[in-house]
Amino acid sequence: MKFDVENHVYNSKRNVVFGKSGAVATSVPLSSQVGLEILKMGGNAVDAAVATAAASAVVEPVNNGIGGDAYALVWIEEEKKLYGLNSSGFAPEKMTLDNFKGLDEMPKYGLKPVTVPGIPAAWAELNKKFGNLSLMDCLKPAINYAREGFVVSPTVAKIWEKDYKLYKKEFKGEEFEPWFDTFSKNGRAPVAGEIFKCEDQARTLEEIAKTNAESFYRGSIAEKIDAFSKKYDGFIRKSDLEQFYPEWVEPITTDYRGYTVSEIPPNGHGLTVLMALNILKGFDLNGSREDSDNLHKIIESLKLAFADTKTYVTDIKHMKLELEALLNQSYADKRRELIKDKAIQPESGDPYCGGTVYLCSADKDGNMVSYIQSNYMDFGSGIVIPETGIALHNRGNNFSLDPEHHNVVAPLKKPYHTIIPGFLSKDSEAVGAFGVMGKFMQPQGHIQVLSNMIDFGLNPQDALDAPRWQWIKDKEIEVEHEMPINLIYDLAKKGHDVKVIYDNLNMGRGQIIIKNEHGSYACGTESRCDGCVAVY
């Protein structure tokens, strides 16, 4: 990709970081340093991604952990091939619709929304298929952080304090006590600059490394999860864990102005990105990001795509529509006709006729990884398995309780999923890895950074730093206060219900590593958190 490294239209807080032999981009400096350490040990981009992901589970527990889900896009330069890994778990066999009678929506906290976690299996599978180093080598830095302690970074501390106060208010019942035992310190959340340790996590990570994650699914860790779930009337059992294995999947793609954009197929909502791009590419954006007409078209394209995917996306084995129907360009052309000068109320169409931690890595051989893992809603369900440091996610919260909905809860079914890694290529050559985390902000972040780079020529750092918007519902959007005031006024005139926000924690956190024409890596990291790029 060609871009102007001197282009700082938005006075970005950081310059692009360049690397020759390897690069790792994450939201916390400690994690990035782990990835760089692994690369210098002789590990490849996959080893670096696994090590960085494990470290992130320890040093950034407010966004991910051992008990969540993961997805990855892996570019293997020698093969000129992009691999997709779906390591998201399914609903336990006991998670039936009948068990939620009387409720309007799926529970948010507790054992009821806990689905099978996929993160440990993702680490083991990636390491087994592509790694140069052992899984123990890759997890050792994370084990050391957990056992010897790590310094809590500012953004992590801010979220941790917010969660602690919320959980003290919301969590009732002794099943939540292990969370406070594990993730609080002297009756509070740890503060920025403080050292935090978790020996339970260290032992669990060692067992995962020694058994290639078998213990988590078919051994003693699985038995501990089973016992705790039984004790507090949860659904998940060892028999559910025993059935789980990650799936290698074919990435789904679309062409956007000469570039191939790749995402993981459903149950994730990366499809939203591709559908929005299919609508958007029919417009001439004239290269100007500070044009309210262009911004309006991007927002409206995203709204229409989201209306469809929120209706139709679920476990791909249970989808009632073929992906080709949703990705069909003629369908996108029909959807584009709905976009006028004023904001519209988005509704799903009829294609029958036609929400974390994101990281990326790259090595000296040209291999690249776009990787994402999450516990959902910060720490997840609020359930921690005693003496393990495992915070279980609450991904089942995304199931519908409407028996007619495509995404209705059912045993062994994967729920609609919000975490999505992205990858960009051109003419069968890798361009780079990108991602923006943050629940339903993720496809919106993908659209914005892609358009910033491809349509408006911004470099990776400027593409991340540019003021963001987020569609909330109906005609309601939120915009960061850094957005030019004339754009905010113009969007309001076009019928958007605009809310200006000053706390941008919910606007997503992204990372980008791009191969440039000089043969080096150009990297951007998130300025809205403690983002860091490590290169050599």
Side-chain angles (χ1 to χ4, degrees), residues 89-95 114-117 216-218 222 225-226 229 234-245 411-412:
F90 44 70
E93 289 189 275
K94 293 180 178 293
M95 192 180 280
V114 174
T115 51
V116 173
F216 192 96
Y217 298 94
R218 288 162 279 277
I225 296 172
D226 181 280
S229 181
F235 298 134
I236 192 167
R237 296 290 185 270
K238 184 181 180 184
S239 58
D240 300 309
L241 294 160
E242 288 174 338
Q243 296 181 65
F244 179 76
Y245 293 92
L412 304 182

Side-chain angles (χ1 to χ4, degrees), residues 10 290 292 295 467 479-493 498 500 502:
Y10 294 97
E290 292 198 352
S292 60
L295 189 52
V479 300
E480 292 182 316
H481 71 279
E482 294 92 347
M483 183 172 285
I485 192 67
N486 63 298
L487 288 183
I488 295 174
Y489 283 139
D490 285 349
L491 288 174
K493 289 178 182 177
V498 184
V500 179
Y502 293 83

Side-chain angles (χ1 to χ4, degrees), residues 45-58:
V46 176
D47 294 314
V50 170
T52 303
S56 297
V58 175

Side-chain angles (χ1 to χ4, degrees), residues 2 36 46 63 65 67 83 101 113 155 202-203 223 230 260 276 302 309 311 314 368 377 474 526 536:
K2 293 182 179 180
L36 185 63
V46 176
N63 291 317
Y83 290 85
K101 282 183 178 178
T155 303
R203 289 195 301 269
E223 290 166 2
K230 286 178 179 175
T260 299
L302 180 281
T309 56
T311 298
T314 185
M368 306 181 77
M377 297 183 186
D474 303 330
E526 187 57 67
Y536 81 113

Side-chain angles (χ1 to χ4, degrees), residues 137-152:
D137 287 335
C138 294
L139 268 55
K140 191 65 177 175
I143 294 167
N144 290 340
Y145 278 147
R147 176 162 291 141
E148 298 171 10
F150 64 92
V151 179
V152 179

Side-chain angles (χ1 to χ4, degrees), residues 468-484:
R468 289 186 191 142
W469 51 267
Q470 180 174 188
W471 174 62
I472 305 301
K473 63 180 180 179
D474 303 330
K475 299 180 182 181
E476 181 183 340
I477 61 171
E478 293 180 347
V479 300
E480 292 182 316
H481 71 279
E482 294 92 347
M483 183 172 285

